[in-house]
Amino acid sequence: MFSLPVLTQVLVNGLSLSAIYVLIALGFTLLFGIMKVVNFAHGSFAMLGGYALFYYFGKWSLPYVVAIVLAALTVAALGLVLEWLVFRRFYQKMFQSMIGLLGLDIAIVYTAVLVWDVQERSVPSALSAMMQLGPAVIPADRLMVIGVAIAVLLAFWGFMALTRHGLAMRAAAEDIEIAQAQGVNTRRIYQLAFFLAVFMTAVAGAIYAQTYALSPFMGERPLMVAFIVVILGGMGSIPGAALGGTLFGFGESLLSTFYGSAVSTFVSFGVVIALLVVRPWGLLGKPER
């Protein structure tokens, strides 16, 4: 049961899921940490990322890396339009944003139904070869997905850690009023944070659609995962989102491989409920004063 080939497969699947979940959770927690927006439309942006990759890569046969970057940029550009029309009305209004953005999510999903109907589609694999990884045989496509996700995460880390705009975003996440007093242009920072959040979510959605299936209702699972991971790591905590996504991805890979998806889902929600009882602010979050 716990043979080396199986454990290697669990490790690769865990890396793939963790990379997707961290990307999804970072986008969600970035908006909450800086703008105090609970983005119920998060899954819709992931779904749109899947459809954008379907056209750029599946229909128009662009190189995979070019296609996934263009897909994410396209969805992020659409996101900026929605930020101007809708999202900016809900900044620093956590409870109002829940209702307003739930309505936006429903509007996006059923617009997608009208455009593409409910039929599931598949995004072609980036690579069709198989690779020998120790005792296990792994699809090269899965390794490509891991590489793309890790590259995006490293770029995000570099931006946040090494640039002035990243420092300004971290300052805004800590205390928006102090950041404003120090001369941070919060309007610009909001737009930049929104663009990055939607970009990462679209990349995650594109990878998720390629790994599983693409449909207008595909975003429900990424939205649920975003909530679980962000609660696990701590609302508004970027390191917490990274830790929560990694734990959730590897945990799901291990449990679903050996015990089935039902046990995996049960344990995931059980852990979140127990954590909310014992440590409501999450693993790396901060308790409210």
Side-chain angles (χ1 to χ4, degrees):
M1 183 178 181
F2 293 97
S3 63
L4 192 56
V6 173
L7 290 175
T8 304
Q9 187 69 54
V10 168
L11 177 64
V12 172
N13 289 343
L15 274 172
S16 176
L17 286 172
S18 295
I20 295 171
Y21 293 166
V22 170
L23 281 172
I24 291 171
L26 281 175
F28 190 90
T29 204
L30 197 60
L31 293 185
F32 182 83
I34 296 177
M35 292 90 121
K36 295 298 179 285
V37 166
V38 180
N39 185 16
F40 273 106
H42 202 66
S44 293
F45 289 123
M47 175 267 293
L48 291 174
Y51 275 104
L53 183 65
F54 175 77
Y55 281 99
Y56 281 123
F57 182 64
K59 291 289 188 183
W60 301 331
S61 302
L62 294 179
Y64 180 73
V65 174
V66 174
I68 200 165
V69 171
L70 282 177
L73 286 173
T74 301
V75 178
L78 173 63
L80 285 180
V81 175
L82 291 174
E83 190 271 342
W84 179 68
L85 290 173
V86 179
F87 279 83
R88 66 173 57 183
R89 274 79 176 167
F90 297 108
Y91 289 160
Q92 308 301 326
K93 299 175 182 177
M94 183 172 65
F95 296 109
Q96 295 93 322
S97 71
M98 293 181 183
I99 304 302
L101 299 181
L102 178 60
L104 177 63
D105 176 66
I106 294 170
I108 294 174
V109 167
Y110 283 95
T111 299
V113 170
L114 292 173
V115 174
W116 294 297
D117 71 47
V118 295
Q119 172 188 347
E120 285 192 347
R121 293 170 169 83
S122 59
V123 180
S125 298
L127 299 169
S128 57
M130 305 294 286
M131 295 185 64
Q132 188 79 28
L133 191 63
V137 178
I138 307 296
D141 177 64
R142 185 59 60 89
L143 299 179
M144 170 73 85
V145 161
I146 293 171
V148 169
I150 290 175
V152 173
L153 289 172
L154 287 175
F156 175 73
W157 173 84
F159 175 83
M160 294 295 289
L162 305 174
T163 68
R164 291 175 59 86
H165 285 95
L167 177 62
M169 286 172 61
R170 284 186 285 138
E174 287 292 326
D175 193 309
I176 191 67
E177 293 181 357
I178 292 178
Q180 286 176 320
Q182 294 296 320
V184 172
N185 184 341
T186 53
R187 177 69 251 152
R188 182 71 57 84
I189 291 302
Y190 283 172
Q191 289 179 323
L192 181 58
F194 192 88
F195 182 87
L196 290 175
V198 175
F199 183 91
M200 289 189 292
T201 303
V203 171
I207 294 172
Y208 190 88
Q210 189 176 25
T211 306
Y212 298 98
L214 176 63
S215 80
F217 300 101
M218 183 205 86
E220 293 176 0
R221 171 73 179 173
L223 178 62
M224 181 185 73
V225 166
F227 269 106
I228 293 174
V229 169
V230 169
I231 290 171
L232 187 62
M235 290 291 283
S237 170
I238 291 174
L243 176 62
T246 303
L247 292 175
F248 189 71
F250 277 102
E252 181 177 322
S253 176
L254 181 68
L255 291 171
S256 60
T257 298
F258 294 112
Y259 304 106
S261 59
V263 171
S264 174
T265 303
F266 175 80
V267 171
S268 299
F269 278 99
V271 167
V272 170
I273 292 169
L275 185 68
L276 285 172
V277 172
V278 176
R279 191 179 171 89
W281 53 88
L283 295 174
L284 298 181
K286 296 179 181 178
E288 292 189 5
R289 296 170 185 173

